[in-house]
Amino acid sequence: SLFAGLGDDHSCVNLLIGSRRFAEGWDNYRAASLTLLRLGVGEGSLIIQMFGRVVRFAGVRGNGKRLEHADPTLRPLQTAYIYGLRSGYLKSFLDSLYANGVPKKTEKSCPFHVYLPHDIDLQSVRTIMPGPDEFHLAAFGGQWLKGVNKITFSLAATVLTSRLSKDKVLTEKGAVGADITNCFKPILPFLDLNDIYREMIDLKRRMGWWNFSFDRAAIDCALNSDRYKIEGLPSALSIGNESDLIRLNRIAAALVRRLFEGAYRKAESRKSRYAMVNAEQSGIPKTYSKRWTDA
């Protein structure tokens, strides 16, 4: 009964303890750290699911993206912290992430100096994005889809193979899947469009898109359009129970969200403008670091 209020500002729940109870089936941006008590060898798929609990991030304006060059005071707020009761659990967790395609990166801070002339009023050009009160986007029916770029939604399975060559192990990774868009569209009559509509209303609220209006017909037209492509295995669209319908409804909501975002960004960019600013305000970073992917 406490799960319904986990996302509320007044929620008093700050710690969840369970035996694999939270591996899947709930989404919450409040999850900031994960402690591994008995998660050891042979838990590859479970480790990925557990990682998904804390890697989610609301992001700037609800877009789910972290700031690439975050201020040091903000960096901890967009970092997922993983702890292990024993070092072996944490090592197994990290090794499984790397084996499933999460790149292992090393970062090193570098000396950095900004040399700007003090005797010259150096100017820079900056793009000024319009505010919500400077334009309006209406998505009614299917006309709004004409200017939206086609998107690709991947449900493909990742396949990892390893082979021994001389004194080292060679690892290759690939994806198994095909275009299953035509398999998805016959499922649309079974989906709850009203639920998707409510999710899009919540998206509009979280993003602050008060200048964006749409109706249920826009959602129906988006899902029946040719503006998206789904890649994966046909089994990913199978319906065996109610949880499968919920999963497919989430896929449909994700598709509509990306199409709505594409339409909004298009309308936003048409109203963008350029302005001259002082060079010190042009976004020159205060720190510099080198990051590379370990072989």
Side-chain angles (χ1 to χ4, degrees), residues 130-163:
D133 58 337
E134 297 182 54
F135 72 100
H136 180 264
L137 173 64
F140 298 105
Q143 292 297 320
W144 63 278
L145 287 163
K146 291 183 178 180
V148 179
N149 295 332
K150 189 172 183 177
I151 63 172
T152 299
F153 192 87
S154 178
L155 297 173
T158 301
V159 178
L160 188 71
T161 61
S162 300
R163 58 188 176 90

Side-chain angles (χ1 to χ4, degrees), residues 69-215:
H69 302 290
D71 185 272
T73 58
L74 294 177
R75 197 171 299 160
L77 298 178
Q78 61 176 25
T79 300
Y81 292 94
I82 311 294
Y83 303 91
L85 181 64
R86 297 178 181 175
S87 60
Y89 297 151
L90 189 57
K91 184 178 184 303
S92 298
F93 180 88
L94 295 175
D95 289 345
S96 179
L97 290 183
Y98 301 147
N100 280 274
V102 176
K104 185 177 182 180
K105 295 184 177 180
T106 301
E107 183 174 340
K108 182 178 181 180
S109 297
C110 305
F112 184 74
H113 302 280
V114 177
Y115 296 102
L116 290 174
H118 298 288
D119 55 342
I120 300 177
D121 186 19
L122 192 62
Q123 299 286 302
S124 177
V125 179
R126 170 178 285 185
T127 302
I128 307 297
M129 302 304 292
D133 58 337
E134 297 182 54
F135 72 100
H136 180 264
L137 173 64
F140 298 105
Q143 292 297 320
W144 63 278
L145 287 163
K146 291 183 178 180
V148 179
N149 295 332
K150 189 172 183 177
I151 63 172
T152 299
F153 192 87
S154 178
L155 297 173
T158 301
V159 178
L160 188 71
T161 61
S162 300
R163 58 188 176 90
L164 188 62
S165 176
K166 294 183 180 180
D167 57 344
K168 60 181 179 179
V169 177
L170 301 179
T171 303
E172 296 179 357
K173 186 182 70 171
V176 177
D179 186 351
I180 56 174
T181 311
N182 291 333
C183 299
F184 176 75
K185 290 188 175 180
I187 300 174
L188 294 179
F190 299 98
L191 301 182
D192 187 352
L193 294 186
N194 288 330
D195 184 63
I196 298 175
Y197 179 76
R198 287 191 293 269
E199 283 199 40
M200 296 305 106
I201 291 292
D202 184 61
L203 170 69
K204 173 180 175 178
R205 176 187 61 81
R206 288 187 288 106
M207 301 287 279
W209 289 351
W210 310 117
N211 55 337
F212 179 32
S213 56
F214 58 90
D215 59 3

